[in-house]
Amino acid sequence: MDPVVCVEIGDDKKYTSMKESTNCPYYNEYFVFDFHVPPDVMFDKILKLSVIHSKNLLRSGTLVGTFKLDVGTVYSQPEHQFYHKWATLSDPDDITAGCKGYIKCDIAVVGKGDNIKTPHKANETDEDDIEGNLLLPEGVPLERQWARFYVKIYRAEGLPKMNTSIMANVKKAFIGENRDLVDPYVQVLFAGQRTSVQKSSYEPIWNEQVVFTEMFPPLCKRMKVQIRDSDKVNDVAIGTHFIDLRKIANDGDKGFLPTMGPAWVNMYGSTRQYTLMDEHQDLNEGLGEGVSFRARLLISVAVEILDTTSTEIVSIGPLGETAKILSVPKSFQLRYIKPYASSALPFDPAYDFLISVTGKIEEFFLFGSFLEATMIDRKIGDKPISFEVTIGNYGNQIDGVSKPSAAKKKKKEGGGGGESDEEESELIQQNSSEDEDRICSTQNYFHLPYFEKKPCIYIKSWWQDQRRRLYNSNIMDKIADKLVSNHAFLHERDESCYVRDKLKMVQNFLHRLRFLADEPQHSIPDVFVWMMSNNKRIAYARIPSKDILYSIVDEETGKDCGKVKAVFLRLPGKKGFGPAGWTVQAKMEMYLWLGLNKQRKDFLSGLPNGFEENKCCLISVSSLWAAVKQVFQLRAHMYQARSLFAADSSGLSDPFARVFFSTHSQVTEVLSETLCPTWDQLLVFDDVELFGEAGELRDDPPIIVVEVYDQDTVGKAEFIGRTFAKPITKMCDEHYGPPRFPPQLEYYQIYRGNSTAGDLLAAFELLQLPAINGPTDSDRGPILPVPMGIRPVLSRYRIEVLFWGLRDLKRVNLAQVDRPRVDIECAGRGVQSAPIVNFKKNPNFSTLVKWFEVDLPENELLHPPLNIRVVDCRAFGRYTLVGSHAVTSLRRFIYSPPDKTQNNWASTGRPTHTMQDAFLVLSIPITIFYIFCIEAKEEKKKKKKKKKGEVEEDDETDERMLDWWSKYFASIETLMEVRHLLYCFLFCLVGIWLYSVYNKELEAEYDNFEDWLHTFNLYRGKAGDDDEAALDDDRIVGRFKGSMCMYKLPLSEEFTREAGFDPNMGMFQSIPHNDPINVLVRVFVVRATDLHPADVNGKADPYVVIKLGKSELKDKENYISKQLNPVFGKAFDMEATFPMESMLTVSVYDWDLVGTDDLIGETKIDLENRYYSKHRATCGIANNYSVHGYNMWRDPMKPSQILAKLCKEGKLDGPHYGPGGRVKVANRIFMDLVFTVYEHLALTVLKHWEEIPRVGCKLIPEHVETRPLLHPEKPGIEQGRIEMWVDMFPMDMPAPGPAIDISPRKPKKYELRVVIWNTDEVILEDDDYFTGEKSSDIFVRGWLKGQQEDKQDTDVHYHSLTGEGNFNWRFVFPFDYLIAEEKIVISKKESMFSWDETEYKIPARLTLQVWDADHFSADDFLGAIELDLNRFPRGAKTAKQCSIGMVQNEAELTCISIFKQKRVKGWWPFVARDENDEMELTGKVEAELHLMSAEEAEKSPVGLGRNEPDPLEKPNRPDTSLMWFVNPLKSIRYFIWHNYRWLILKALGLLLLLLLLGLFLYSFPGYLVKKMLGA
């Protein structure tokens, strides 16, 4: 077949190229789909892989099979990817057929900020186990079955009126009747299939079902059910509901298939007012939280596993009495349930059945009381305000419903005696009239005068009684909450391994509980509270009905039922996001209770004591009367905040905090230009009146809201963030003292929307005041500081600052920065650097170290941040802020003196050991190591002969064959496979010295090379709110390089007494000087992988561009055509001067014939940090010291010189070389028994430099690093990866040798000669026309994979009666081959329009097929064998020994490689699949494979077939193989005489006999007459 793979995600489709006449195509193509959508939409998209046979421009091709899964399944995998997995193909139209084949693919979903952690792409051998690597998430069985999903849609209720009154009148004028102006239909989307059904009314009854056929368990998690309004112009969604299949199924031992209902599902979306342009239409599509009830739908889901062996499709049982389903045997069929067409019946008889299934309808009672309404925005404060509470459509002012029968919804009496559903009241400003001396800015919010009298609402509603389900949910929620509190307690107490494991188990259990607690079949809709101003809907809160549901059993009651709860109202839909939406619209203290009307006597049971009912008539409570009130004083100790959101264009803020408690509010002072304000202020709220009993208030005080704002000179203050706190309460009769008082300062996380915007350090206490008569407001000072017992204890610290330099400063107000200065400030003290005189000429500071002393808290957690600000000194004494940085945690800069007791003390910033560590620590005696190596080598040799499935010959690597790439590929294989002791001495066994190949940037492995020099990004400009700006990259205006060191005073003297201590440098001894330095930078670019396609054809033409300072090297002429995994193999030399040119940019561009070249991605490397790092990142330390060859030592300094330099810089004693391969450095002795030369000994020490006390750290080995390529326009998403490394050599040292050659290997030209000698036991396909005898006209076809157009055929052996064929025919296949990668390289133009050739790398595979030749119809395919030329089974010596096992059990047989063996002869089996998809033997072939290099082939040429030169002799074929029209007599002799000779002889004898008899009868009468007459 000619297969093409189609990859489809949502509506996007991409196709691979077509591979001709193969059942095992090899594509190696890479597709990228870009999306910019919310995660929920993304994860519901269906990813579909289809294989299509012979698709071209004219025909769409035939579908072979498909595989589907949703994107969410991929994202939930580890690392968000499936890597090298086989997807099973199946055909939904032919569910009895089983598996249609497999596709091997990688699928990864990358969100913003995700890293793709792909395993290293090395020599990929394709002989992996398909069944063990199926593309299925964990827990899904390998054998999936076909199943039918039945979604029954019965009816819907409570649809909103989809028309305005104007539209209604217009339609009425045209139509002449006022019909229901909504045409609802239901659309079910699942696994990418959709169907729809419809009727016309507000309460439609469908009674229809939708059927899907899909594999089970499905790899799509959610089914989307949507009610839509059919419209001529465009259909709009009324409401959407997602059914999570995992929630309605159980895969355990006592599990069940997805089953749901019949149950009512509630749909939520935008408000019910109809406008022509609905701004919240997204909410109806299921995006975001619905702000109003839309409709409810009666639905059921069932799944039936199909028995694909049975022929008939199982029919579906009737629904109720009346519903009859017409079964049509076709998948994805819409099946109708037809009710009786009897309109006289009051309701459908099926309805009775549904009521019995969905539950009895009960009357529910919802009671709510508004105890407090504060923090109402002043914009809406001038108009009358009311609140609307709805449950479903009950209570809704627009189209609220009453009881289906005569009972009306009762409304409470309003203040004026008329019926009203809300409380209207005049607004009172937030500061009450007695508090004249409060700060004016508190007039920001208003509150309603709910003092003693609290208004109430109540609603009666009728729902199916499904409380039991909600009760179970509540029980599970309560178990989970208890688990969480105990979990947190345990976490603080114990950190042992055992406890950690148990906590992990608890975490999983908790996750499961929360998952189960989410009930998919709750019939009672959520409660919505809307605040209306001037009849406009302003803000809402949504309260899940289960949270306020009442039960007589405590565990089953909702967590907020009968409790006073703080409810924050917010703006609906998209308005609720962004700074405007994050401010609180109103804060309500509400009491809610929902239960059966029968239980309503209990509805006030949970109210705090001290409230009395105020009944205005027999039926209802119109309001609550607060009889008991307490007077408190609140003290808010506002100490400081840190890491606040930058709200001004300077990159700083002018923050102040507002504290709200009950109906009071106060503000702190405004601190200008800081992100880390220390207010150190006590706010006292006197005479706070709280209603309720004292004891209850002590245990559960009201919540305090703290909002942080940025003061702007013009306009109103801008919201930065908000946090909540609960005060510690003290009653009159309690003592003010430990353990509860004074309260400790605590950190409170400040939130801005869903993201964090800093921390607040504060403490809150609520003190009950004795009853005092009359106003007692004494005059206090302007600002009270936080009192002594609460503020932290301070100590004197010294902070030393290392000023190194500034980099990449951007312009300020269009002017360039010329004389920058750095100001450091911490807790009100600070220090300034000397200004840089000319930033362009030298951006480094002249004075390196300065210090200042400051009082800081003893507790490290309370340390204030340290602020770094860069200002530009302009003429006339003006200063302009360039940028700033806040160091939030000073912990990493605290100096800790070295521990004298520990010998192995290493410097900070030392990287953790990773598997790439080239050698093990030498704690084991060396001798054991050495013996172990020798033994390992011997064993390896022995094993080599025995190991099955491997190449049989012992291939000793030839030193001359080795090059840099040998080393590279060996290193990658080591990285992938060897993760144990043998790695260390692999070179002993293989003979190749290895690299460290890092699968990430070198910075990630070595702590950003900030071992002593740190880089601080400087920010300016307002921080962004949306996700796009979350990375803050566009706010970076430069970088400050330097460091800090802080320590408590006084410091012990022994440190300063050390020899050579420079008091000017403080703790920064022995750091290099920061004068400009010239450096030769050598950049090696090995290859790029998984580049983002840049051309329409899904490929790219990449080339490399290197930029350093002002110099740029473009390798444009060497672009690599149509390749997403290009091998560059280039070295670039550049000269640079640090610090002016220190940022290296390596970019990959896409070459375009027309127009400018596009950037694919780039990576930036800070060379300066690497150059000065103690890890010595200038040139990697090789594993071995060689003077020549592929492993030559690259550094101009020899190992012994490097070691001597390190010892001198670290003031170490040594190195001292001793006899017997010993070397001593600083009381440590290192040994190397293998090499005793000084250079090798020095190298041994360098490889273990991290073990040296005090100054030791891991030195960077010879390596290749893998860096992600990023694009400025697509921040956070990798555009591919590049493998490279950088060497740096100072110009004042001896020049290094020439760069090592890493240019890509050129493929070697080979010629494969295949001689087909004979075939045997080939199955006989033709029946003889005359005789019915079986025969075959055999010929053999062969080609190398990827070169199908060069396929070669033997001549035909006609009329083989035994399956034997004789050919003596030679195929000749020339090809280019890369030995290291084991791939054939093919260069060809993709199409006639292609500009240049594209290079493909394909595994070396020879395909041989046996065919039956037909003259007037297509030839019949009989069988095939595919031989991997690197590892294929040795041919059998005779045809008898050749069996199908040579193909099926290939892994267990001895394999050979034609590249080692050169010449092989033997018998191999031909195989094909029968009707049952089983492998069967269809013939055997005797062939000879002979591999020659191009030079050898030229010396001894051969002809194709049996031609000259070196012709093969003609085969000795039996005469039967000739055709009848060539030699008809011979054919007759063979075909007829051979088989029917006795029959012919008998027929001839009989004919003679008949002839004689005829003659006798003819002549007898005449003869008789003659005799009688005697003539």
Side-chain angles (χ1 to χ4, degrees), residues 154-360:
Y154 300 96
R155 59 196 300 142
E157 282 181 4
L159 271 68
K161 294 179 169 45
M162 297 293 287
N163 57 332
T164 54
S165 50
I166 308 163
M167 287 300 290
N169 292 336
V170 171
K171 283 198 179 179
K172 190 174 177 182
F174 279 108
I175 303 166
E177 57 182 300
N178 196 3
R179 284 216 321 258
D180 284 351
L181 289 158
V182 60
D183 304 321
Y185 67 92
V186 177
Q187 179 172 299
V188 182
L189 278 92
F190 174 62
Q193 306 165 11
R194 58 177 75 192
T195 52
S196 41
V197 288
Q198 70 182 31
K199 284 274 176 80
S200 163
S201 85
Y202 285 131
E203 303 234 323
I205 299 172
W206 287 286
N207 286 352
E208 296 181 1
Q209 86 175 358
V210 178
V211 181
F212 299 117
T213 308
E214 192 56 53
M215 296 292 273
F216 186 85
L219 299 182
C220 308
K221 297 189 183 83
R222 300 208 299 178
M223 187 182 283
K224 178 174 169 183
V225 181
Q226 201 169 53
I227 303 183
R228 296 177 73 83
D229 177 27
S230 171
D231 195 63
K232 299 280 189 297
V233 188
N234 87 338
D235 297 0
V236 289
I238 297 173
T240 304
H241 180 75
F242 292 99
I243 299 171
D244 191 331
L245 293 178
R246 293 165 303 170
K247 288 191 176 158
I248 58 170
N250 179 358
D251 55 4
D253 298 337
K254 297 183 179 173
F256 51 87
L257 295 173
T259 311
M260 173 177 164
W264 289 96
V265 296
N266 301 305
M267 297 188 174
Y268 306 98
S270 61
T271 52
R272 293 176 71 90
Q273 293 121 303
Y274 183 79
T275 50
L276 282 175
M277 295 299 294
D278 187 352
E279 58 179 337
H280 302 311
Q281 182 55 39
D282 277 359
L283 300 178
N284 298 336
E285 297 280 0
L287 303 177
E289 183 189 62
V291 299
S292 168
F293 176 79
R294 297 287 290 174
R296 61 189 203 131
L297 178 69
L298 186 56
I299 188 174
S300 76
V301 179
V303 172
E304 170 191 38
I305 300 283
L306 295 181
D307 178 12
T308 47
T309 54
S310 66
T311 47
E312 75 278 354
I313 285 188
V314 188
S315 64
I316 307 149
L319 174 69
E321 296 302 310
T322 59
K324 189 92 178 107
I325 298 162
L326 308 173
S327 173
V328 187
K330 171 91 174 72
S331 337
F332 327 134
Q333 196 64 45
L334 180 63
R335 311 202 175 179
Y336 290 97
I337 304 170
K338 295 202 171 178
Y340 288 133
S342 160
S343 53
L345 288 171
F347 54 80
D348 192 25
Y351 193 52
D352 270 353
F353 153 73
L354 291 177
I355 287 175
S356 66
V357 173
T358 57
K360 185 172 154 219

Side-chain angles (χ1 to χ4, degrees), residues 794-800 825-831 851-857 863-866 890 1045-1049:
L794 303 180
S795 295
R796 174 58 50 127
Y797 279 85
R798 175 177 289 183
I799 300 182
E800 292 185 4
E825 178 271 329
C826 183
R829 299 297 181 87
V831 68
W851 57 266
F852 63 99
E853 289 181 4
V854 65
D855 293 325
L856 295 179
H863 278 176
L866 179 135
L890 290 171
C1045 181
M1046 61 184 280
Y1047 48 87
K1048 243 183 194 177
L1049 291 178

Side-chain angles (χ1 to χ4, degrees), residues 1170-1187:
R1170 287 189 176 201
Y1171 185 82
Y1172 288 114
S1173 166
K1174 288 179 185 166
H1175 297 293
R1176 202 174 177 280
T1178 49
C1179 183
I1181 303 280
N1183 264 337
N1184 176 35
Y1185 180 71
S1186 327
V1187 214

Side-chain angles (χ1 to χ4, degrees), residues 98 340 371 395 409 470 480 514 540-541 676 743 793 803 893 963 1060 1100 1206 1282 1286 1313 1385 1435 1515:
Y340 288 133
L371 305 183
K409 184 186 106 189
L470 301 183
R514 292 276 190 226
Y540 81 102
C676 310
V793 181
F803 295 101
F893 299 114
D963 61 356
L1206 286 174
I1282 190 163
V1286 182
R1313 298 171 178 180
V1385 179

Side-chain angles (χ1 to χ4, degrees), residues 1321-1332:
E1321 295 181 36
V1322 174
I1323 52 171
L1324 307 176
E1325 189 74 14
D1326 297 342
D1327 296 323
D1328 193 277
Y1329 189 70
F1330 300 110
T1331 63

Side-chain angles (χ1 to χ4, degrees), residues 639-644 674-678 747 759 761 799 824-829 852 854 856-857 860-868 885-891 1044 1046:
Y639 190 64
Q640 72 178 30
R642 64 180 183 189
S643 315
L644 291 181
T674 175
L675 297 180
C676 310
T678 301
Y747 274 113
D759 301 290
L761 185 58
I799 300 182
I824 306 279
E825 178 271 329
C826 183
R829 299 297 181 87
F852 63 99
V854 65
L856 295 179
E860 278 181 22
L861 293 173
L862 303 182
H863 278 176
L866 179 135
N867 297 309
I868 301 170
H885 181 99
V887 182
T888 46
S889 169
L890 290 171
R891 187 177 240 166
M1044 321 313 149
M1046 61 184 280

Side-chain angles (χ1 to χ4, degrees), residues 20 111 122 138 171 181 208 318 594 638 734 890 894 902 949 1062 1066 1236 1403 1450 1484 1512:
E20 289 175 4
E138 222 173 302
K171 283 198 179 179
L181 289 158
E208 296 181 1
L594 172 68
M638 305 294 288
E734 288 182 305
L890 290 171
I894 295 175
Q902 254 187 318
D1062 180 359
T1236 52
E1450 196 176 331
K1484 301 172 182 181
L1512 297 169

